[in-house]
Amino acid sequence: MSTDQAAAAATSTRMIIGGDLAESADGRTFEVVEPHRGSVVATVPQGGAEDVDRAVAAAQAAFDGEWSRLAASDRGRLMLRFAQVVRDHEEELSQLESRQIGKPIGGARWEVGQVAKVLEFYAGATTKIHGSTIPVTRPGFDFTLREPIGVVGLIVPWNFPIMMAAWKVGPALAAGNTAILKPASYSPLTALRLGELALEAGLPAGVLNVVTGPGPVVGGAIAAHPGIGKVAFTGETATGQEIMRAAAANVKKVSLELGGKSPNIVFADADIEAFATTSPYSVFDNCGQDCCARSRIIVERSVHEKVVELFAAATEKVRVGDPSDPATEVGPLVSFRQRERVEAYVRSGREEGAELVTGGVRPTDPALAQGAYLMPAVFDNMAPDMTIAREEIFGPVVGIIPFDTEEEALRLANASPYGLSGSIWSRDIGRALRAAKALKSGVISVNCNNSVHVEAPFGGYKQSGIGRELGMEALELYTEVKNVFVDLG
Ligand code: NAD
């Protein structure tokens, strides 16, 4: 399917509630605008609290009905079929994802490929969710049961829209819950299609509902809803705080994947060439709109100059362009508003005295003039107290900070309210492991730019979140543990 066909197919999108394609209760809609050209790609329902109520009722009915009576292995088989249907539609989903958020098509294909993998992993996990027996002191028999929570709310962001959805839908359904998925307003199209494909795969009506609409309205209603037992959220830290407050109303279980300001620590004994030529990817991929972006390069002073030179040269080679071109590595930002936000950070970096080595300006290529483009920016001599060193920019901007000792490097790396991920580059494995242990972050990569695996836990320390997604750990977010004691005394 071409991008234009994908867009045309998307124009008739509806929410998924109880297995039906649904308009919003009040008939309102909103537009999805592609950031490459600024044109409208689709019109989708602008849901509200009433639509969340309808979705909760449908999800509860599904939970009380067929879904909870299925054997775990049958649930697994259905999820495998869901994964296969997603695989069958990978190209269509990739085109939609690329179009709605301006993600380069290569990145979109990778992202959609992850969706099927996640569903397959959790399809296999359905039969591995179990309790344990415990040798308590009283004479008797003590055991635990792992049970689904019931109806769960899944609120996802726009940077990896369908992958973030899968990270939540996979374990939530594998554990036997039913769900209401709420995509971000920049990126509802792939989530809505995912809901349709779930039905096509044979998931019972109401197991996966998708409600679109403004974050504070639809997301707020999900977070506060008394019929929802758990909310899983990925997005900004400030939004996560609002969700926690709203969720307090019924003491809902909350898991949060929030922002980041991840360090990339480069020791002098590292393979500097390998670092400098591959690491632009670790911060500029997805146009820097990545919670794991290594946006602070903390480099040993003796190799500082060389790193700046090589990293800037590699950055200038990054291909910025039309997301539909398979050669493109960096597309536009998600919106013109987001570009203004990032440009304000570039200004603040300059005003506060960091040295802009390359980028930070709009491209001169006339073919990109209609889009929300910005050339990847590298700042040298960024001081740790500068705004660009402290705040999550969520755009193609990196800052370089030199250090003299290992202890200083770790102190700088940990000097952030965030603690999501980070990379360590060194040929001294002892030092790398010492640093990995000392970093207050949830996901650490040694001698590479990224290490997110479907099979391994992912999540943040400090203000980067609560709980761990992916791997078997994610199932803990979606289950209750019941302890049963049989008195044999
Ligand atoms: P956001 O917080 O603006 O929105 C995320 C989702 O929450 C959207 O669906 C939005 O509509 C909804 N929302 C907004 N306000 C709400 C409210 N008051 N109540 C309930 N829901 C509400 O985030 P974003 O701009 O879509 O995404 C970017 C952020 O996400 C960045 O901070 C990034 O670091 C973070 N992120 C984190 C991870 C991670 O795993 N830690 C992954 C991806 C993105």
Side-chain angles (χ1 to χ4, degrees):
M1 189 184 261
S2 72
T3 46
D4 286 336
Q5 284 170 319
T11 50
S12 60
T13 306
R14 298 289 177 271
M15 301 193 287
I16 317 284
I17 299 180
D20 295 325
L21 300 183
E23 304 284 359
S24 60
D26 61 11
R28 289 208 287 174
T29 59
F30 68 98
E31 289 176 340
V32 180
V33 173
E34 60 159 341
H36 169 53
R37 277 182 294 218
S39 46
V40 174
V41 195
T43 302
V44 300
Q46 182 174 320
E50 206 180 312
D51 300 296
V52 173
D53 285 342
R54 285 198 287 159
V56 172
Q60 187 63 54
F63 183 77
D64 294 337
E66 188 187 348
W67 189 240
S68 56
R69 286 195 291 271
L70 277 181
S73 54
D74 290 335
R75 212 163 57 234
R77 257 190 289 278
L78 270 178
M79 287 186 65
L80 266 187
R81 205 180 305 154
F82 185 15
Q84 185 55 49
V85 173
V86 168
R87 280 201 191 286
D88 295 343
H89 291 80
E90 263 180 12
E91 187 55 21
E92 175 204 340
L93 289 166
S94 304
Q95 297 287 352
L96 265 185
E97 192 79 307
S98 173
R99 191 82 187 258
Q100 68 179 349
I101 55 165
K103 183 179 294 240
I105 186 66
R109 287 182 181 131
W110 173 85
E111 186 194 331
V112 172
Q114 293 298 300
V115 174
K117 280 191 186 166
V118 170
L119 294 175
E120 283 160 1
F121 178 86
Y122 287 108
T126 54
T127 50
K128 284 110 199 148
I129 301 168
H130 53 75
S132 55
T133 55
I134 301 163
V136 295
T137 43
R138 259 173 66 190
F141 183 62
D142 194 282
F143 65 95
T144 60
L145 298 170
R146 292 274 296 274
E147 297 179 341
I149 292 169
V151 178
V152 300
L154 315 174
I155 305 175
V156 295
W158 47 259
N159 59 343
F160 291 90
I162 193 168
M163 188 173 89
M164 293 293 107
W167 284 17
K168 293 175 171 45
V169 168
L173 301 193
N177 301 283
T178 55
I180 297 154
L181 173 64
K182 189 262 180 252
S185 295
Y186 287 136
S187 57
L189 305 181
T190 44
L192 289 167
R193 196 69 187 111
L194 190 70
E196 290 175 3
L197 295 178
L199 293 171
E200 200 177 312
L203 262 74
V207 168
L208 178 59
N209 306 275
V210 187
V211 180
T212 48
V217 179
V218 174
I222 288 172
H225 204 289
I228 296 179
K230 185 238 157 50
V231 62
F233 168 77
T234 297
E236 281 185 32
T237 296
T239 315
Q241 289 167 327
E242 276 185 51
I243 285 175
M244 281 183 94
R245 277 190 285 272
N250 71 324
V251 196
K252 209 179 254 93
K253 281 148 195 59
V254 178
S255 55
L256 305 172
E257 297 290 354
L258 307 175
K261 190 76 192 174
S262 296
N264 211 341
I265 308 175
V266 190
F267 289 101
D269 65 7
D271 181 343
I272 302 297
E273 297 268 338
F275 163 76
T277 52
T278 62
S279 273
Y281 157 85
S282 78
V283 59
F284 302 133
D285 187 43
N286 214 33
C287 207
Q289 302 163 128
D290 183 343
C291 54
C292 289
R294 272 58 167 172
S295 52
R296 295 181 297 146
I297 297 175
I298 299 172
V299 58
E300 194 158 355
R301 201 175 299 277
S302 59
V303 290
H304 171 210
E305 239 173 74
K306 187 172 173 201
V307 161
V308 173
E309 188 192 317
L310 292 177
F311 190 91
T315 298
E316 284 166 3
K317 286 199 196 116
V318 168
R319 281 175 297 220
V320 176
D322 181 341
S324 67
D325 179 349
T328 293
E329 293 170 310
V330 170
L333 286 140
V334 73
S335 66
F336 296 91
R337 211 173 105 202
Q338 183 73 359
R339 178 169 68 177
E340 277 170 29
R341 215 181 136 251
V342 177
E343 286 176 327
Y345 276 112
V346 173
R347 275 197 302 280
S348 111
R350 301 179 87 152
E351 283 160 15
E352 292 182 24
E355 187 190 324
L356 186 60
V357 183
T358 185
V361 292
R362 298 182 186 187
T364 48
D365 180 353
L368 307 181
Q370 303 303 313
Y373 289 89
L374 191 69
M375 299 306 286
V378 180
F379 277 103
D380 189 19
N381 292 317
M382 176 173 80
D385 59 347
M386 288 178 182
T387 309
I388 57 165
R390 291 183 289 107
E391 296 184 8
E392 182 183 45
I393 298 175
F394 226 57
V397 180
V398 72
I400 301 177
I401 310 177
F403 72 84
D404 292 301
T405 64
E406 182 178 320
E407 186 261 323
E408 185 191 5
L410 297 173
R411 188 166 37 77
L412 286 167
N414 282 333
S416 169
Y418 296 113
L420 187 54
S421 58
S423 285
I424 299 158
W425 294 79
S426 171
R427 287 193 174 100
D428 176 344
I429 193 66
R431 178 178 3 224
L433 289 177
R434 246 186 344 263
K437 232 177 136 187
L439 281 188
K440 301 277 179 269
S441 301
V443 188
I444 314 273
S445 315
V446 175
N447 292 329
C448 58
N449 294 302
N450 168 305
S451 51
V452 179
H453 312 287
V454 172
E455 306 82 2
F458 174 89
Y461 279 39
K462 299 191 274 185
Q463 291 184 30
S464 285
I466 299 177
R468 292 294 176 270
E469 296 199 300
L470 297 181
M472 295 303 277
E473 274 83 355
L475 295 164
E476 288 169 20
L477 305 178
Y478 296 97
T479 47
E480 289 276 20
V481 176
K482 181 179 284 170
N483 183 263
V484 183
F485 177 70
V486 184
D487 194 336
L488 301 175

